[in-house]
Amino acid sequence: MPKRVDHEERRRQIADALLRTAATRGLHATGMREVAAEAGVSLRLVQYYFGTKEELLLAAAQNLAVRFGQRVLARARLAKASGSDGPASPRDVIAAILTEALPADDERRTFTIVYTAYLALSLTDPALAITPLVKNSGAVIDVLAAQLRAAQAAGDMPAHLDPDLEAVTLAAMSAGLGTSVLAGQSSVGQAQAVIDYHLYRLFPASRPALGG
């Protein structure tokens, strides 16, 4: 009996191969043939699942967005497990999102490189849909804003701050820090210090006592 093929898994396998290749060669130098070699499949099979490079790039961008969301949720759960018995605090959730976006390991570095490269390509290539990136960024901002509103309602964030504007600020800061680390302008430690600085501004009660 022939082995049943999991087509969605095969698509993910090929999309993951594109991400790995693009992280080292760059998206502009990554073609269908290179992706096939990285995935260990034939070029014809890649073309079967993705008719064009643009279709493959779009699928990879969607995959990036899903994986980022999964990693953020996992980090937020870890913050909850290491804290009190209750749910993770808004500060913990926000810290998890911002920290996860830092290219501090191979997987997050790959995410940041490919995400940034795809964004740059999509600005000048009408064949590339920027929708997955926009939706992902918008979803992250919505989560940040919701957490900030919850913190404000609980009295943990100053009442004069605007949660929606602060969420946009945090998302833009996060993207800039990721690029800065990739370019060698900042270390991961310096980027984390910037995140902590802004979190202390938003959540003054979380600042460690002097001499602590």
Side-chain angles (χ1 to χ4, degrees):
M1 187 179 208
K3 184 178 179 181
R4 180 168 182 162
V5 177
D6 185 334
H7 294 289
E8 283 306 309
E9 178 58 32
R10 184 58 61 84
R11 286 174 61 87
R12 283 193 294 270
Q13 174 192 357
I14 294 171
D16 284 345
L18 179 141
L19 298 179
R20 292 193 301 272
T21 306
T24 56
R25 298 171 61 94
L27 276 178
H28 64 287
T30 299
M32 306 279 270
R33 195 175 301 278
E34 289 78 16
V35 173
E38 176 66 26
V41 301
S42 68
L43 174 60
R44 179 170 294 184
L45 189 65
V46 174
Q47 293 170 331
Y48 170 77
Y49 284 105
F50 304 98
T52 64
K53 180 181 176 180
E54 287 75 22
E55 290 178 23
L56 178 54
L57 287 173
L58 178 58
Q62 292 169 333
N63 191 21
L64 273 180
V66 170
R67 286 166 55 179
F68 177 76
Q70 291 172 339
R71 291 199 307 272
V72 167
L73 288 176
R75 187 173 288 273
R77 291 191 198 101
L78 183 62
K80 174 183 175 181
S82 62
S84 63
D85 294 333
S89 69
R91 186 193 188 284
D92 288 339
V93 174
I94 292 171
I97 293 173
L98 300 180
T99 300
E100 188 57 44
L102 291 180
D105 55 35
D106 288 343
E107 184 172 8
R108 285 183 280 171
R109 180 178 175 82
T110 295
F111 172 86
T112 307
I113 290 173
V114 179
Y115 189 102
T116 304
Y118 188 94
L119 175 61
L121 282 178
S122 67
L123 295 177
T124 55
D125 188 344
L128 296 178
I130 197 173
T131 306
L133 303 187
V134 172
K135 285 185 176 179
N136 181 62
S137 297
V140 170
I141 290 172
D142 289 344
V143 171
L144 291 172
Q147 293 297 320
L148 291 171
R149 282 193 289 270
Q152 201 169 52
D156 295 329
M157 188 177 90
H160 69 278
L161 297 178
D162 185 316
D164 294 310
L165 292 180
E166 293 293 345
V168 173
T169 300
L170 289 175
M173 178 192 73
S174 177
L177 288 174
T179 302
S180 179
V181 171
L182 282 183
Q185 298 170 328
S186 304
S187 68
V188 173
Q190 289 171 326
Q192 185 63 59
V194 173
I195 290 173
D196 292 340
Y197 174 82
H198 282 276
L199 290 178
Y200 293 145
R201 181 179 64 83
L202 294 173
F203 306 99
S206 68
R207 181 181 293 276
L210 292 178

